[in-house]
C-alpha cells in the first residue's frame, strides 16, 4: 500500500508494508459482503474512508436495508462518479457527482450529511470528499422536508 506524504501527492508516494488498523481490502473476486445489524436509531452519523482499486466498474461502498428493501446506497458508478441514494417508496433523495474519482493511489474520505429537517432544501442531502463539499451534480433529488432516511 502506498504511503501518501505531505506536499505534491502526484510525486510524493512511497511504498510501505504498513497496514492500516481496522481496514479491509477487497480484491477482485473476493466476497465483498460484510454485514452489521443495527437497531432503530443507532446510526446518527457515519463517514467512510476508501481507496479505489479498479476503475470503470460500479463499486458499492455501503448499502442499507430494512426488511430486505434497499433504503440507502453509496457507490462509485461505472463511470467513476460518486452516487448516494436514499429510497422510500421510490427515490427520496439522490446525488450523483459530476466530478470523477479516478485516482487509485488516493484515499477518499467521504462524509454524507442527511438532514431532511433542514428548512433550506439544498442543505438536506450533502456530500463532502476530503473535507470539501461537492456542489456540482449531474443528478440531484432533494429529499422532502422531514423525510425518513436510514
Amino acid at each position: 500500500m502506498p504511503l501518501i506524504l505531505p506536499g505534491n501527492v502526484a510525486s510524493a508516494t512511497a511504498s510501505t508494508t504498513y497496514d492500516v488498523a481496522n481496514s479491509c481490502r477487497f480484491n477482485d473476486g473476493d466476497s465483498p459482503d460484510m454485514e452489521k445489524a443495527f437497531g432503530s436509531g443507532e446510526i446518527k452519523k457515519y463517514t467512510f474512508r476508501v481507496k479505489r482499486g479498479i476503475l470503470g466498474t460500479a463499486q458499492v461502498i455501503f448499502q442499507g436495508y430494512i426488511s430486505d428493501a434497499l433504503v440507502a446506497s453509496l457507490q462509485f458508478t461505472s463511470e467513476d462518479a460518486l452516487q448516494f441514494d436514499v429510497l422510500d417508496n421510490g427515490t427520496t433523495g439522490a446525488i450523483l457527482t459530476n466530478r470523477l474519482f479516478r485516482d487509485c493511489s488516493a484515499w477518499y474520505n467521504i462524509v454524507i450529511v442527511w438532514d431532511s429537517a433542514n428548512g433550506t432544501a439544498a442543505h438536506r442531502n450533502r456530500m463532502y470528499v476530503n473535507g470539501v463539499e461537492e456542489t456540482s451534480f449531474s443528478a440531484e433529488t432533494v429529499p422532502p422536508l422531514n423525510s425518513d432516511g436510514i
Side-chain angles (χ1 to χ4, degrees), residues 22-41:
N22 301 314
S23 67
C24 298
R25 179 178 182 163
F26 297 101
N27 296 304
D28 193 25
D30 287 351
S31 173
D33 298 336
M34 293 188 327
E35 294 184 19
K36 170 66 175 130
F38 293 96
S40 178

Side-chain angles (χ1 to χ4, degrees), residues 2 4 18 22 33 37 49 68 85-86 109 120 141:
I4 305 300
Y18 176 76
N22 301 314
D33 298 336
R49 188 164 189 217
D68 295 327
D85 295 303
V86 173
N109 188 60
T120 304
T141 303

Side-chain angles (χ1 to χ4, degrees), residues 99-117:
R99 180 176 161 200
L100 303 179
F101 298 85
R102 292 182 170 154
D103 186 349
C104 289
S105 68
W107 282 97
Y108 296 109
N109 188 60
I110 303 165
V111 176
I112 301 295
V113 177
W114 178 265
D115 183 9
S116 66

Side-chain angles (χ1 to χ4, degrees), residues 39 44-45 49-50 52 59 64 76 78 87-88 109 129 144:
K44 300 295 184 194
K45 300 175 184 176
R49 188 164 189 217
V50 297
R52 298 208 60 195
Q59 295 175 305
F76 289 108
S78 59
L87 308 171
D88 182 22
N109 188 60
V129 178

